[in-house]
Amino acid sequence: MSNDNLLNVSNLSIHFLLEEGTVRAVNDLNFYLKSGETIGLVGETGAGKTTTALGIMRLVQSPPGVYVSGSIEFDGQNLLTASEAEMRKVRGSKVAMIFQDPMTTLNPVMTVLDQIVEVILLHENISKASAREKAVVMLDKVGIREDRVNEYPHQFSGGMRQRVGIAIALACNPALLISDEPTTALDVTIQAQVLELMKELKTELNTSMIMITHDLGIVAEICDKVAIMYAGSVVEFADKYELFKNAKHPYTEGLFNSLPDIYSDVESLKPIKGLMPDPMDLPKGCPFHPRCEKALPECSTTVPKNLDLGNGHYVKCLLYSGEEGKAQDKKPDWIDGFVDNTQSSDNSQEGK
């Protein structure tokens, strides 16, 4: 991993020490992000995506949360060794987060304008009048008219509340924006509007972004790189186009196989068998081996290492530690068209 990355997450492990046992939420997690890029953290519920995001923000509640090992280097600073005073300067101004449910993250007794003003005054040395002017401009950027800035969160729809959340997160022009499934509670039409807004603002403000999602369609539309998470670890990491056309890990292949394919005449989709393992009782060896159709005998005893396949493509799988890794499974034809169409769409947007 290059030292010029904006964010380096290396060998990160975060556990929760409970009376019932230890919840191993994040385990030996690795990924990196360059300035201006967007990475998608993809995986099933319980994969550790949100814990990873909270870990980067140093918002994991302790106790019971414990940073067991690893490092989180942001812009040359290790956030795990930073003091709480230093982290307060980082949160909001350098690293900001958009949460899933805007109704529970917005203050119900403050106007949306005052909530943004509060963030700006906390991180910038300007007058309250200047902060209000900046907040009005920021709300206008996300589509909220000036005549509504003095209203309260309950007076807005879910989509508009999420726009307020985006405005708060971007108010101080952070270098990194973490977006935790921001469209989960919204209907499909509003989802598309919010995602398009985030793309536009990211480009305009030159902000890097971590998009947490389980939707590969969102990944294809927004992300540059993809980190596939399973049982608290990144099992595959690659450029978006490389991953969609040449996925290696059996779990990644399973995610693609569970998507609808309009070019195939099949009666049902092919889901991944079984369930995500209990983080309090992870399987020995590779955590995916009980569900894996390609599992080798050693998969039940040996923890796979993070293998570099070249061109920034990493995978944690014993299939690629020897001769077995030379074989490549052919992907459905529709994946090439899906990714190529996305790339064409991105290029057309750049030409506008």
Side-chain angles (χ1 to χ4, degrees):
M1 296 183 185
S2 173
N3 290 328
D4 63 354
N5 298 328
L6 177 68
L7 178 71
N8 276 322
V9 179
S10 303
N11 307 117
L12 179 66
S13 294
I14 302 173
H15 296 172
F16 293 90
L17 308 181
L18 307 178
E19 290 183 2
E20 301 84 356
T22 299
V23 177
R24 293 183 284 168
V26 174
N27 303 288
D28 193 29
L29 183 139
N30 296 272
F31 70 88
Y32 65 90
L33 182 64
K34 293 185 179 296
S35 181
E37 287 185 335
T38 297
I39 184 174
L41 293 187
V42 183
E44 297 171 84
T45 299
K49 305 185 297 297
T50 298
T51 301
T52 298
L54 294 174
I56 294 171
M57 298 282 287
R58 279 272 303 275
L59 290 175
V60 173
Q61 184 176 348
S62 178
V66 176
Y67 292 88
V68 177
S69 63
S71 65
I72 303 171
E73 291 188 5
F74 172 74
D75 199 19
Q77 178 185 14
N78 187 353
L79 300 184
L80 291 189
T81 59
S83 67
E84 184 57 32
E86 290 173 324
M87 283 306 303
R88 281 196 292 269
K89 294 179 181 179
V90 170
R91 298 187 197 108
S93 62
K94 296 180 180 179
V95 183
M97 189 165 177
I98 304 172
F99 297 90
Q100 288 188 35
D101 185 0
M103 195 64 231
T104 59
T105 55
L106 296 177
N107 190 327
V109 298
M110 291 179 66
T111 67
V112 296
L113 178 66
D114 286 341
Q115 295 189 52
I116 300 179
V117 168
E118 183 179 53
V119 172
I120 295 172
L121 290 176
L122 184 63
H123 295 288
E124 298 184 13
N125 186 22
I126 60 176
S127 67
K128 189 170 184 178
S130 297
R132 290 178 69 86
E133 290 178 8
K134 186 173 182 179
V136 169
V137 171
M138 197 66 238
L139 285 168
D140 181 65
K141 283 182 181 292
V142 299
I144 297 177
R145 303 188 310 271
E146 187 173 355
D147 60 352
R148 297 201 65 188
V149 300
N150 289 312
E151 294 182 5
Y152 293 86
H154 73 272
Q155 295 175 278
F156 291 89
S157 66
M160 294 297 278
R161 286 197 293 266
Q162 194 59 286
R163 288 170 182 264
V164 174
I166 294 171
I168 291 174
L170 294 175
C172 295
N173 195 13
L176 175 62
L177 176 65
I178 302 174
S179 185
D180 187 4
E181 300 194 42
T183 60
T184 297
L186 308 178
D187 63 57
V188 176
T189 304
I190 304 302
Q191 282 184 21
Q193 294 175 4
V194 169
L195 290 172
E196 188 60 32
L197 171 66
M198 292 177 66
K199 280 182 66 176
E200 292 174 359
L201 291 175
K202 173 189 171 297
T203 302
E204 178 183 339
L205 301 174
N206 192 31
T207 300
S208 300
M209 183 162 65
I210 297 175
M211 172 64 75
I212 298 173
T213 184
H214 54 262
D215 189 334
L216 288 168
I218 291 177
V219 170
E221 182 68 23
I222 288 184
C223 299
D224 302 303
K225 289 185 170 67
V226 189
I228 303 295
M229 290 190 65
Y230 187 82
S233 181
V234 172
V235 296
E236 187 161 9
F237 176 87
D239 173 86
K240 171 177 65 178
Y241 302 108
E242 168 70 14
L243 185 90
F244 272 68
K245 292 185 176 183
N246 195 24
K248 294 292 189 182
H249 199 282
Y251 178 63
T252 310
E253 293 176 351
L255 292 179
F256 283 121
N257 289 336
S258 64
L259 293 174
D261 179 1
I262 62 174
Y263 299 107
S264 298
D265 184 17
V266 295
E267 293 184 359
S268 60
L269 299 177
K270 184 181 179 182
I272 303 172
K273 67 178 183 179
L275 299 172
M276 181 77 67
D278 183 352
M280 292 182 66
D281 185 25
L282 293 177
K284 294 181 179 179
C286 173
F288 185 62
H289 86 264
R291 306 173 68 186
C292 183
E293 296 179 351
K294 300 180 180 180
L296 304 172
E298 54 266 36
C299 291
S300 61
T301 57
T302 304
V303 178
K305 296 180 180 179
N306 202 31
L307 301 175
D308 185 354
L309 303 180
N311 298 320
H313 194 160
Y314 297 84
V315 66
K316 280 187 175 181
C317 183
L318 295 180
L319 289 174
Y320 302 97
S321 60
E323 293 299 314
E324 301 90 343
K326 294 183 178 180
Q328 293 186 10
D329 295 321
K330 188 178 186 305
K331 302 295 175 292
D333 294 335
W334 67 269
I335 286 182
D336 287 344
F338 183 54
V339 178
D340 290 340
N341 288 338
T342 303
Q343 189 170 20
S344 299
S345 174
D346 290 345
N347 292 338
S348 65
Q349 291 290 335
E350 291 172 4
K352 289 183 179 179

